[in-house]
């Protein structure tokens, strides 16, 4: 029977039993359990398999137990501003808690795209107290593996709805969508487009719902042709922006559901010689450093990534101590950061824009 994550567990098999099962000495088994490197690969494999067969539970090493506490942070990549903000938040909270952090870049998938089991084995071997994932790309088997080994974990800003009972921390996406769209409405815009991410993602659906709610509250007609889905990157957002500009009645403002996509919007507007904000207002989402570097500086919705990561770390520590959060989903508030990319709509504007003056990007 699988127990709830973070719950106290009854005494299981001893390390001596694991050593007998693997045909090694107790000190050797201990080296594998504690993540020591001076063990032959074949020996490590036998001990790891014995740990799994017998259901050996590695007790977490938390601050105050006489050994340094250790947590794992699994990131999709290390070369993005989002990952940097998450890492900063986790590091600050871990320092306060007296914990050490092991950072891994996207080890949950192999080169062929299939789930990678090796990182899970290494996680058990080094005795991690728990894992933070940003974003989570776990298979059902990997969730089950973590549950079976009683390893607590928290998802930071997951892309999709987690399985029932999985703890996650995210932003108030609906609130952010309302805030961004409401700002444009207050400026006098009614022809407001939205470029959101892929369909059926938590963030994209929440921000789109906020956009629609703000329009409805203001009595502004929702226009399906003003809604465009992109792949959350600059190139895709550029293409979607060209599509909006080619409409018989193009928008006067666009809410872009990530700062990264907003860079692609800026590029497309420059290609069409559409001035920001004089002819087109743009609002982003995230408030990454890039938002301040654009020209003009991007008005955006601040998503508190560092605070979300710190909150996730604190939840993980509580779970490793046997506590359970009151709810499985924690949302932090978003807020509008006003900069120079938004302004009232022009009094007179064309009903359509001219042809592209630069070569369009390929899909």
């Amino acid at each position: 029977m699988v127990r709830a994550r973070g719950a106290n567990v009854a005494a299981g098999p001893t390390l001596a039993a694991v050593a007998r099962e693997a045909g090694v000495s107790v000190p050797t088994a201990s080296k594998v359990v504690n993540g020591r490197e001076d063990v032959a690969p074949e020996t490590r494999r036998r001990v790891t398999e014995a740990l799994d067969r017998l259901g050996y539970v590695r007790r977490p090493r938390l601050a105050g137990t006489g050994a340094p506490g250790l947590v794992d942070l699994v990131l999709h990549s290390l070369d993005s501003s989002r990952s940097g903000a998450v890492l900063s938040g986790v590091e600050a909270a871990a320092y306060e808690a007296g914990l050490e952090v092991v950072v891994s870049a996207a080890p949950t998938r192999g080169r062929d795209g299939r789930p990678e089991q090796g990182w899970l084995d290494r996680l058990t071997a080094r005795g991690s107290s728990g894992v933070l994932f940003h974003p989570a790309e776990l298979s059902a088997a990997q969730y089950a593996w973590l549950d079976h080994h009683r390893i607590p974990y928290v998802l930071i800003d997951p892309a999709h709805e987690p399985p029932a009972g999985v703890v996650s921390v995210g932003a108030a996406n609906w609130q952010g969508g309302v805030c961004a769209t409401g700002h444009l409405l207050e400026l006098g815009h009614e022809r407001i487009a939205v470029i959101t991410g892929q369909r059926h993602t938590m963030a994209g659906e929440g921000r789109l719902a906020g956009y629609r709610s703000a329009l409805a509250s203001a009595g502004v007609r929702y226009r399906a042709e003003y809604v465009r889905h992109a792949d959350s990157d600059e190139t895709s957002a550029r293409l979607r922006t060209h599509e909006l500009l080619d409409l018989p009645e193009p928008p006067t403002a666009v809410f872009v559901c990530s700062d990264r996509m907003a860079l692609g919007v800026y590029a497309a507007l420059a290609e069409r010689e559409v001035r920001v904000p004089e002819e087109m207002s743009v609002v982003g989402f995230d408030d990454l450093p890039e938002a301040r570097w654009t020209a003009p500086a991007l008005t955006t919705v601040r998503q508190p990534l560092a605070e979300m990561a710190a909150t996730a770390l604190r939840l993980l520590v509580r779970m490793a101590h046997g506590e359970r959060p009151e709810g499985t989903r924690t949302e932090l508030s978003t807020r509008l950061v006003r900069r120079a990319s938004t302004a009232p709509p022009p009094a007179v504007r064309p009903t359509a824009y001219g042809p592209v003056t630069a070569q369009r990007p390929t899909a």
Side-chain angles (χ1 to χ4, degrees), residues 157-176:
D157 193 26
H160 299 93
E161 187 75 32
V166 173
V167 176
S168 67
V169 178
N173 292 301
W174 180 87
Q175 175 198 33

Side-chain angles (χ1 to χ4, degrees), residues 243-292:
E243 293 171 359
L244 290 170
L245 296 177
D246 287 336
L247 291 172
E249 190 175 38
T252 62
V254 57
F255 165 39
V256 194
C257 290
S258 80
D259 290 349
R260 181 181 176 188
M261 289 196 297
L263 299 179
V265 172
Y266 268 40
L269 295 176
E271 291 171 357
R272 300 290 282 268
E273 298 183 354
V274 178
R275 296 172 299 161
V276 178
E278 292 86 356
E279 296 177 285
M280 182 75 72
S281 287
V282 182
V283 178
F285 201 110
D286 284 330
D287 195 27
L288 297 176
E290 293 92 320
R292 300 188 296 273

Side-chain angles (χ1 to χ4, degrees), residues 26 43 49 78 80 87 129-130 151 156 178 223 226 233 243 263 272-273 300 319 324 331 335-336 353:
V26 172
T43 302
E49 290 178 352
L78 298 176
S80 71
L87 180 56
S129 300
I151 297 175
I156 303 171
V178 169
R223 300 169 61 156
Y226 280 178
D233 59 24
E243 293 171 359
L263 299 179
R272 300 290 282 268
E273 298 183 354
T300 188
M319 292 167 63
R324 283 291 293 174
E331 286 193 351
R335 65 179 178 86
L336 184 74
Y353 290 97

